[in-house]
Amino acid sequence: MAGGQRCPEDLRTINKVVGLMFKFARERAGYSYEEVAGCLEMHVDEVKGMETGEMPMSIARLYLAGNLFGVRVTAFFQPYYHPELF
């Protein structure tokens, strides 16, 4: 069963929201795409794809990005904790 009433969100929406939060945290921390790609051992296009939600992020990469940006990994899921802010 793919999706359905028992599933509160779909993967595309979650990837998009996490990507937007990733972009917000990256920009707030002052990192360029190139710097993040180097630190996370990725290509610049992969980082851009994560920010648009086209490329899903692993928990390991979110953890490393959180350390890089100075935020907890839960910051990438902030809209789910405080949806009134978005």
Side-chain angles (χ1 to χ4, degrees):
M1 178 173 144
Q5 291 181 353
R6 296 182 67 174
C7 301
E9 301 287 342
D10 65 82
L11 291 175
R12 184 170 294 160
T13 301
I14 292 169
N15 288 336
K16 194 166 203 160
V17 169
V18 172
L20 288 170
M21 294 307 296
F22 183 96
K23 181 177 181 177
F24 175 77
R26 176 185 63 79
E27 289 175 342
R28 195 173 102 207
Y31 284 94
S32 68
Y33 288 119
E34 293 79 10
E35 290 169 320
V36 172
C39 290
L40 299 183
E41 299 179 9
M42 302 176 73
H43 189 273
V44 171
D45 290 338
E46 292 175 304
V47 175
K48 291 178 180 180
M50 287 184 345
E51 289 188 358
T52 63
E54 296 299 318
M55 181 177 175
M57 294 180 229
S58 70
I59 295 296
R61 284 225 166 97
L62 283 177
Y63 178 81
L64 293 173
N67 286 339
L68 180 64
F69 303 152
V71 299
R72 292 183 181 181
V73 72
T74 55
F76 300 111
F77 302 96
Q78 198 67 22
Y80 291 102
Y81 293 122
H82 301 285
E84 72 277 2
L85 298 177
F86 294 88

